Amino acid sequence: MHFDTPLTLECNRTLPEFDLVYETYGELNADKSNAILICHALSGSHHAAGWHSEEDKKPGWWDNMIGPGKAIDTTRYFVVCLNNIGSCHGSTGPTTPIPESSDEGTPGKPYGPDFPLITIKDWVKTQAMLSDRLDIEVWHAVVGGSMGGMQALQWSVDYPDRLKRCVIIASTPKLSAQNIAFNEVARQSILSDPDFNKGRYLEAGTYPRRGLILARMVGHITYLTEDAMKSKFGRDLKSGKFMYGYDVEFQVESYLRYQGERFSENFDANTYLLMTKALDYFDPTRDYVDDESLSDLEALKQTLKHARCQFLIVSFTTDWRFAPARSQEIVDALMANDKPVSYVNVDAPHGHDSFLFDIPRYMDAIRGFLNAPFLTPNPKALPQQTEVQTENDTEARRA
């Protein structure tokens, strides 16, 4: 979808025009009440489910979630997933040629490092613009995991009347100092690569492959858990014996290098820099709270007063990148405002990556929340109770 209306971003720069690539699944019903928006995580794209061609090595990144009879049932819902601006999978981003309508840069050359810094709020703004083009006034639900969950949360406060349900999975109301530190290490890996050429590697005919590989290796470590790595690799040696050198010896080393190599083949380095910065900047309270003396929780409480949808918050017991305590912050802020919220803390051994796995308790929670009747908010209702469960719980604990 091409947009020729100038887009002013939070950084006060303007894109004179832009494209959004998106993919849809299922059929939109007559009253357009069955549409679900999927927001992708850092390395995701518009291709969330199914196969593009017989040459595909694997289906879309959330294929176990989206499809006929699955948790997000495409025989029941019309599902939309778009690729955010700043990405490298078709929507306008650093690899896109600068248009003739631009007052900045040289038309015809890739944006490269001149592409403006973007925020989660900017992405949600463009998603709302796409909604208008698709003539979808209200989403049945906005759903996202990790960085996608941040977008879903931003939707609930920026466009409270345009979604009925909000599903926030393995996410956080803002990044911790530790998470910002991980992102900075990843960015420095790219920025210090001699082939980065100050971000103009496409023009120079180079590519910061080593930097991108290192950035992905750092990130991938944070998506897993120590137990998961121990179970999968242990201290197994690739050749069965020590080689007394600096090449790959342990299986876990081989795995990380493989993940980095594969990622570097289909992702853009400038995009990685942009997206990690968008993560760092994320703070939905910024436009809704004037009192800087407030605690993070109090600021979040004030911000979520604007929300009008029903919420499902999902966390995973072994996720240390965005730990369950961060999801609980969102739950606490919603409960303080008497907002309808369900919270499920799922037992899973996969760490942050759990949101990509087909875990029955997790899938059932999504399915049940999406299919349940919408409860019209009652301003006089008592504070909502929150059901906290793990996969092995025998009875719910009421908070």
Side-chain angles (χ1 to χ4, degrees):
M1 189 79 75
H2 180 71
F3 295 82
D4 54 13
T5 304
L7 175 68
T8 300
L9 303 167
E10 275 206 284
C11 66
N12 291 321
R13 290 182 58 191
T14 300
L15 289 177
E17 57 186 81
F18 65 98
D19 293 326
L20 290 177
V21 174
Y22 67 100
E23 199 162 283
T24 69
Y25 318 85
E27 298 292 334
L28 189 62
N29 61 13
D31 62 2
K32 301 177 182 177
S33 64
N34 70 331
I36 293 178
L37 177 66
I38 304 295
C39 304
H40 70 74
L42 189 149
S43 59
S45 70
H46 55 287
H47 184 41
W51 303 78
H52 275 150
S53 69
E54 293 182 358
E55 285 71 40
D56 281 357
K57 294 182 180 179
K58 59 180 182 179
W61 56 271
W62 229 2
D63 188 70
N64 55 19
M65 176 75 78
I66 302 166
K70 298 179 182 179
I72 302 178
D73 189 349
T74 51
T75 65
R76 183 170 186 163
Y77 300 111
F78 176 66
V79 180
V80 179
C81 184
L82 79 163
N83 183 221
N84 287 320
I85 56 171
S87 184
C88 52
H89 295 297
S91 294
T92 298
T95 60
T96 304
I98 297 173
E100 294 291 336
S101 56
S102 177
D103 294 329
E104 300 182 44
T106 304
K109 289 189 175 183
Y111 272 104
D114 294 329
F115 195 84
L117 287 178
I118 46 182
T119 65
I120 301 289
K121 192 177 182 72
D122 292 329
W123 285 334
V124 169
K125 182 178 180 179
T126 60
Q127 291 163 9
M129 294 171 71
L130 179 66
S131 307
D132 293 338
R133 286 283 187 92
L134 297 176
D135 200 22
I136 297 172
E137 293 183 7
V138 179
W139 294 98
H140 177 81
V142 177
V143 183
S146 190
M147 189 178 80
M150 299 178 193
Q151 296 164 62
L153 179 59
Q154 191 76 55
W155 258 97
S156 74
V157 292
D158 283 359
Y159 301 95
D161 295 319
R162 299 200 64 173
L163 72 164
K164 296 178 73 174
R165 295 168 177 82
C166 181
V167 183
I168 302 169
I169 307 166
S171 197
T172 177
K174 65 171 67 171
L175 257 58
S176 65
Q178 184 186 51
N179 274 295
I180 294 172
F182 281 128
N183 286 344
E184 174 61 5
V185 171
R187 285 192 294 268
Q188 287 302 320
S189 298
I190 294 171
L191 293 168
S192 60
D193 189 322
D195 290 329
F196 183 64
N197 279 301
K198 297 182 179 179
R200 303 194 185 281
Y201 42 84
L202 294 180
E203 296 176 50
T206 62
Y207 191 66
R209 180 170 162 271
R210 288 168 292 179
L212 195 55
I213 288 172
L214 287 173
R216 185 58 173 176
M217 289 170 70
V218 168
H220 206 75
I221 291 170
T222 69
Y223 304 150
L224 304 174
T225 66
E226 182 179 3
D227 286 344
M229 296 178 82
K230 179 180 178 181
S231 174
K232 191 170 185 176
F233 309 108
R235 287 178 50 85
D236 292 350
L237 294 167
K238 190 174 181 183
S239 63
K241 61 180 181 179
F242 291 142
M243 302 305 294
Y244 298 100
Y246 295 107
D247 203 355
V248 171
E249 294 190 77
F250 292 92
Q251 290 288 3
V252 67
E253 294 175 317
S254 177
Y255 172 77
L256 287 174
R257 292 197 191 187
Y258 168 76
Q259 291 294 335
E261 291 273 1
R262 189 177 68 171
F263 187 75
S264 71
E265 292 170 0
N266 55 29
F267 210 82
D268 177 64
N270 280 321
T271 289
Y272 199 93
L273 298 178
L274 282 169
M275 289 198 167
T276 55
K277 267 297 183 183
L279 286 168
D280 292 353
Y281 290 153
F282 177 63
D283 180 1
T285 71
R286 191 165 55 236
D287 292 334
Y288 297 94
V289 177
D290 295 327
D291 187 352
E292 295 183 359
S293 68
L294 291 178
S295 68
D296 287 347
L297 180 58
E298 289 301 320
L300 190 60
K301 287 178 183 179
Q302 283 202 17
T303 300
L304 289 175
K305 287 180 181 178
H306 300 273
R308 297 181 184 177
C309 62
Q310 294 177 193
F311 289 84
L312 172 63
I313 315 297
V314 181
S315 60
F316 299 93
T317 54
T318 56
D319 183 356
W320 60 274
R321 183 84 194 242
F322 296 150
R326 306 312 307 278
S327 290
Q328 187 70 58
E329 291 173 29
I330 302 173
V331 174
D332 291 345
L334 289 167
M335 290 181 67
N337 285 293
D338 297 345
K339 303 297 182 181
V341 53
S342 298
Y343 171 46
V344 184
N345 187 29
V346 179
D347 238 348
H350 317 291
H352 184 62
D353 269 354
S354 295
F355 82 96
L356 298 171
F357 281 77
D358 187 2
I359 303 167
R361 180 73 184 89
Y362 165 42
M363 294 297 169
D364 288 346
I366 302 295
R367 181 184 291 106
F369 179 74
L370 295 177
N371 296 350
F374 181 75
L375 302 176
T376 303
N378 179 1
K380 296 182 180 180
L382 293 172
Q384 297 293 319
Q385 290 183 317
T386 301
E387 184 178 305
V388 183
Q389 294 184 325
T390 67
E391 193 172 4
N392 296 324
D393 278 347
T394 56
E395 59 183 36
R397 175 171 64 84
R398 294 291 180 180

mmCIF file with all atom_site columns, all heavy atoms in Angstrom, residues 365-377:
data_model
loop_
_atom_site.group_PDB
_atom_site.id
_atom_site.type_symbol
_atom_site.label_atom_id
_atom_site.label_alt_id
_atom_site.label_comp_id
_atom_site.label_asym_id
_atom_site.label_entity_id
_atom_site.label_seq_id
_atom_site.pdbx_PDB_ins_code
_atom_site.Cartn_x
_atom_site.Cartn_y
_atom_site.Cartn_z
_atom_site.occupancy
_atom_site.B_iso_or_equiv
_atom_site.pdbx_formal_charge
_atom_site.auth_seq_id
_atom_site.auth_comp_id
_atom_site.auth_asym_id
_atom_site.auth_atom_id
_atom_site.pdbx_PDB_model_num
ATOM 1   N N   . ALA A 1 365 ? -5.130  -20.198 25.841 1.00 0.00 ? 365 ALA A N   1
ATOM 2   C CA  . ALA A 1 365 ? -5.424  -18.889 26.423 1.00 0.00 ? 365 ALA A CA  1
ATOM 3   C C   . ALA A 1 365 ? -5.746  -17.868 25.331 1.00 0.00 ? 365 ALA A C   1
ATOM 4   O O   . ALA A 1 365 ? -6.695  -17.086 25.457 1.00 0.00 ? 365 ALA A O   1
ATOM 5   C CB  . ALA A 1 365 ? -4.242  -18.413 27.267 1.00 0.00 ? 365 ALA A CB  1
ATOM 6   N N   . ILE A 1 366 ? -4.963  -17.879 24.254 1.00 0.00 ? 366 ILE A N   1
ATOM 7   C CA  . ILE A 1 366 ? -5.201  -16.954 23.141 1.00 0.00 ? 366 ILE A CA  1
ATOM 8   C C   . ILE A 1 366 ? -6.557  -17.248 22.499 1.00 0.00 ? 366 ILE A C   1
ATOM 9   O O   . ILE A 1 366 ? -7.374  -16.348 22.274 1.00 0.00 ? 366 ILE A O   1
ATOM 10  C CB  . ILE A 1 366 ? -4.079  -17.060 22.087 1.00 0.00 ? 366 ILE A CB  1
ATOM 11  C CG1 . ILE A 1 366 ? -2.710  -16.761 22.699 1.00 0.00 ? 366 ILE A CG1 1
ATOM 12  C CG2 . ILE A 1 366 ? -4.374  -16.134 20.902 1.00 0.00 ? 366 ILE A CG2 1
ATOM 13  C CD1 . ILE A 1 366 ? -2.525  -15.358 23.194 1.00 0.00 ? 366 ILE A CD1 1
ATOM 14  N N   . ARG A 1 367 ? -6.790  -18.519 22.202 1.00 0.00 ? 367 ARG A N   1
ATOM 15  C CA  . ARG A 1 367 ? -8.043  -18.919 21.553 1.00 0.00 ? 367 ARG A CA  1
ATOM 16  C C   . ARG A 1 367 ? -9.254  -18.536 22.403 1.00 0.00 ? 367 ARG A C   1
ATOM 17  O O   . ARG A 1 367 ? -10.223 -17.949 21.908 1.00 0.00 ? 367 ARG A O   1
ATOM 18  C CB  . ARG A 1 367 ? -8.037  -20.431 21.300 1.00 0.00 ? 367 ARG A CB  1
ATOM 19  C CG  . ARG A 1 367 ? -9.304  -20.949 20.609 1.00 0.00 ? 367 ARG A CG  1
ATOM 20  C CD  . ARG A 1 367 ? -9.287  -22.459 20.485 1.00 0.00 ? 367 ARG A CD  1
ATOM 21  N NE  . ARG A 1 367 ? -8.286  -22.913 19.530 1.00 0.00 ? 367 ARG A NE  1
ATOM 22  C CZ  . ARG A 1 367 ? -7.130  -23.491 19.867 1.00 0.00 ? 367 ARG A CZ  1
ATOM 23  N NH1 . ARG A 1 367 ? -6.841  -23.696 21.158 1.00 0.00 ? 367 ARG A NH1 1
ATOM 24  N NH2 . ARG A 1 367 ? -6.276  -23.887 18.948 1.00 0.00 ? 367 ARG A NH2 1
ATOM 25  N N   . GLY A 1 368 ? -9.192  -18.861 23.681 1.00 0.00 ? 368 GLY A N   1
ATOM 26  C CA  . GLY A 1 368 ? -10.319 -18.569 24.558 1.00 0.00 ? 368 GLY A CA  1
ATOM 27  C C   . GLY A 1 368 ? -10.597 -17.081 24.671 1.00 0.00 ? 368 GLY A C   1
ATOM 28  O O   . GLY A 1 368 ? -11.760 -16.652 24.663 1.00 0.00 ? 368 GLY A O   1
ATOM 29  N N   . PHE A 1 369 ? -9.554  -16.288 24.758 1.00 0.00 ? 369 PHE A N   1
ATOM 30  C CA  . PHE A 1 369 ? -9.726  -14.840 24.899 1.00 0.00 ? 369 PHE A CA  1
ATOM 31  C C   . PHE A 1 369 ? -10.334 -14.226 23.643 1.00 0.00 ? 369 PHE A C   1
ATOM 32  O O   . PHE A 1 369 ? -11.232 -13.384 23.710 1.00 0.00 ? 369 PHE A O   1
ATOM 33  C CB  . PHE A 1 369 ? -8.378  -14.190 25.204 1.00 0.00 ? 369 PHE A CB  1
ATOM 34  C CG  . PHE A 1 369 ? -8.433  -12.698 25.356 1.00 0.00 ? 369 PHE A CG  1
ATOM 35  C CD1 . PHE A 1 369 ? -8.980  -12.115 26.491 1.00 0.00 ? 369 PHE A CD1 1
ATOM 36  C CD2 . PHE A 1 369 ? -7.931  -11.864 24.368 1.00 0.00 ? 369 PHE A CD2 1
ATOM 37  C CE1 . PHE A 1 369 ? -9.038  -10.735 26.635 1.00 0.00 ? 369 PHE A CE1 1
ATOM 38  C CE2 . PHE A 1 369 ? -7.978  -10.484 24.503 1.00 0.00 ? 369 PHE A CE2 1
ATOM 39  C CZ  . PHE A 1 369 ? -8.530  -9.920  25.644 1.00 0.00 ? 369 PHE A CZ  1
ATOM 40  N N   . LEU A 1 370 ? -9.865  -14.657 22.488 1.00 0.00 ? 370 LEU A N   1
ATOM 41  C CA  . LEU A 1 370 ? -10.350 -14.088 21.228 1.00 0.00 ? 370 LEU A CA  1
ATOM 42  C C   . LEU A 1 370 ? -11.785 -14.501 20.930 1.00 0.00 ? 370 LEU A C   1
ATOM 43  O O   . LEU A 1 370 ? -12.551 -13.735 20.332 1.00 0.00 ? 370 LEU A O   1
ATOM 44  C CB  . LEU A 1 370 ? -9.441  -14.504 20.068 1.00 0.00 ? 370 LEU A CB  1
ATOM 45  C CG  . LEU A 1 370 ? -8.010  -13.979 20.090 1.00 0.00 ? 370 LEU A CG  1
ATOM 46  C CD1 . LEU A 1 370 ? -7.225  -14.533 18.910 1.00 0.00 ? 370 LEU A CD1 1
ATOM 47  C CD2 . LEU A 1 370 ? -7.984  -12.448 20.064 1.00 0.00 ? 370 LEU A CD2 1
ATOM 48  N N   . ASN A 1 371 ? -12.148 -15.716 21.326 1.00 0.00 ? 371 ASN A N   1
ATOM 49  C CA  . ASN A 1 371 ? -13.468 -16.244 20.985 1.00 0.00 ? 371 ASN A CA  1
ATOM 50  C C   . ASN A 1 371 ? -14.551 -15.889 22.001 1.00 0.00 ? 371 ASN A C   1
ATOM 51  O O   . ASN A 1 371 ? -15.739 -16.024 21.708 1.00 0.00 ? 371 ASN A O   1
ATOM 52  C CB  . ASN A 1 371 ? -13.401 -17.770 20.835 1.00 0.00 ? 371 ASN A CB  1
ATOM 53  C CG  . ASN A 1 371 ? -12.505 -18.203 19.684 1.00 0.00 ? 371 ASN A CG  1
ATOM 54  O OD1 . ASN A 1 371 ? -12.067 -17.384 18.884 1.00 0.00 ? 371 ASN A OD1 1
ATOM 55  N ND2 . ASN A 1 371 ? -12.223 -19.493 19.595 1.00 0.00 ? 371 ASN A ND2 1
ATOM 56  N N   . ALA A 1 372 ? -14.154 -15.466 23.197 1.00 0.00 ? 372 ALA A N   1
ATOM 57  C CA  . ALA A 1 372 ? -15.134 -15.167 24.238 1.00 0.00 ? 372 ALA A CA  1
ATOM 58  C C   . ALA A 1 372 ? -15.930 -13.909 23.888 1.00 0.00 ? 372 ALA A C   1
ATOM 59  O O   . ALA A 1 372 ? -15.438 -13.018 23.193 1.00 0.00 ? 372 ALA A O   1
ATOM 60  C CB  . ALA A 1 372 ? -14.429 -14.981 25.580 1.00 0.00 ? 372 ALA A CB  1
ATOM 61  N N   . PRO A 1 373 ? -17.180 -13.823 24.363 1.00 0.00 ? 373 PRO A N   1
ATOM 62  C CA  . PRO A 1 373 ? -17.982 -12.615 24.113 1.00 0.00 ? 373 PRO A CA  1
ATOM 63  C C   . PRO A 1 373 ? -17.298 -11.387 24.697 1.00 0.00 ? 373 PRO A C   1
ATOM 64  O O   . PRO A 1 373 ? -16.640 -11.462 25.731 1.00 0.00 ? 373 PRO A O   1
ATOM 65  C CB  . PRO A 1 373 ? -19.302 -12.906 24.840 1.00 0.00 ? 373 PRO A CB  1
ATOM 66  C CG  . PRO A 1 373 ? -19.346 -14.391 24.978 1.00 0.00 ? 373 PRO A CG  1
ATOM 67  C CD  . PRO A 1 373 ? -17.926 -14.836 25.134 1.00 0.00 ? 373 PRO A CD  1
ATOM 68  N N   . PHE A 1 374 ? -17.466 -10.265 24.015 1.00 0.00 ? 374 PHE A N   1
ATOM 69  C CA  . PHE A 1 374 ? -16.901 -9.017  24.510 1.00 0.00 ? 374 PHE A CA  1
ATOM 70  C C   . PHE A 1 374 ? -17.753 -8.498  25.657 1.00 0.00 ? 374 PHE A C   1
ATOM 71  O O   . PHE A 1 374 ? -18.982 -8.413  25.554 1.00 0.00 ? 374 PHE A O   1
ATOM 72  C CB  . PHE A 1 374 ? -16.832 -7.976  23.397 1.00 0.00 ? 374 PHE A CB  1
ATOM 73  C CG  . PHE A 1 374 ? -16.231 -6.663  23.822 1.00 0.00 ? 374 PHE A CG  1
ATOM 74  C CD1 . PHE A 1 374 ? -14.867 -6.547  24.020 1.00 0.00 ? 374 PHE A CD1 1
ATOM 75  C CD2 . PHE A 1 374 ? -17.031 -5.550  24.039 1.00 0.00 ? 374 PHE A CD2 1
ATOM 76  C CE1 . PHE A 1 374 ? -14.300 -5.346  24.423 1.00 0.00 ? 374 PHE A CE1 1
ATOM 77  C CE2 . PHE A 1 374 ? -16.479 -4.343  24.441 1.00 0.00 ? 374 PHE A CE2 1
ATOM 78  C CZ  . PHE A 1 374 ? -15.103 -4.249  24.625 1.00 0.00 ? 374 PHE A CZ  1
ATOM 79  N N   . LEU A 1 375 ? -17.104 -8.161  26.766 1.00 0.00 ? 375 LEU A N   1
ATOM 80  C CA  . LEU A 1 375 ? -17.809 -7.655  27.937 1.00 0.00 ? 375 LEU A CA  1
ATOM 81  C C   . LEU A 1 375 ? -17.823 -6.132  27.899 1.00 0.00 ? 375 LEU A C   1
ATOM 82  O O   . LEU A 1 375 ? -16.775 -5.490  27.944 1.00 0.00 ? 375 LEU A O   1
ATOM 83  C CB  . LEU A 1 375 ? -17.118 -8.134  29.214 1.00 0.00 ? 375 LEU A CB  1
ATOM 84  C CG  . LEU A 1 375 ? -16.990 -9.655  29.377 1.00 0.00 ? 375 LEU A CG  1
ATOM 85  C CD1 . LEU A 1 375 ? -16.203 -9.975  30.642 1.00 0.00 ? 375 LEU A CD1 1
ATOM 86  C CD2 . LEU A 1 375 ? -18.361 -10.302 29.429 1.00 0.00 ? 375 LEU A CD2 1
ATOM 87  N N   . THR A 1 376 ? -18.999 -5.572  27.782 1.00 0.00 ? 376 THR A N   1
ATOM 88  C CA  . THR A 1 376 ? -19.108 -4.115  27.767 1.00 0.00 ? 376 THR A CA  1
ATOM 89  C C   . THR A 1 376 ? -18.686 -3.565  29.123 1.00 0.00 ? 376 THR A C   1
ATOM 90  O O   . THR A 1 376 ? -19.225 -3.975  30.156 1.00 0.00 ? 376 THR A O   1
ATOM 91  C CB  . THR A 1 376 ? -20.552 -3.682  27.474 1.00 0.00 ? 376 THR A CB  1
ATOM 92  O OG1 . THR A 1 376 ? -20.964 -4.248  26.226 1.00 0.00 ? 376 THR A OG1 1
ATOM 93  C CG2 . THR A 1 376 ? -20.662 -2.165  27.413 1.00 0.00 ? 376 THR A CG2 1
ATOM 94  N N   . PRO A 1 377 ? -17.715 -2.673  29.159 1.00 0.00 ? 377 PRO A N   1
ATOM 95  C CA  . PRO A 1 377 ? -17.231 -2.140  30.441 1.00 0.00 ? 377 PRO A CA  1
ATOM 96  C C   . PRO A 1 377 ? -18.347 -1.474  31.245 1.00 0.00 ? 377 PRO A C   1
ATOM 97  O O   . PRO A 1 377 ? -19.176 -0.753  30.694 1.00 0.00 ? 377 PRO A O   1
ATOM 98  C CB  . PRO A 1 377 ? -16.165 -1.126  30.021 1.00 0.00 ? 377 PRO A CB  1
ATOM 99  C CG  . PRO A 1 377 ? -15.753 -1.548  28.648 1.00 0.00 ? 377 PRO A CG  1
ATOM 100 C CD  . PRO A 1 377 ? -16.984 -2.131  28.018 1.00 0.00 ? 377 PRO A CD  1
#
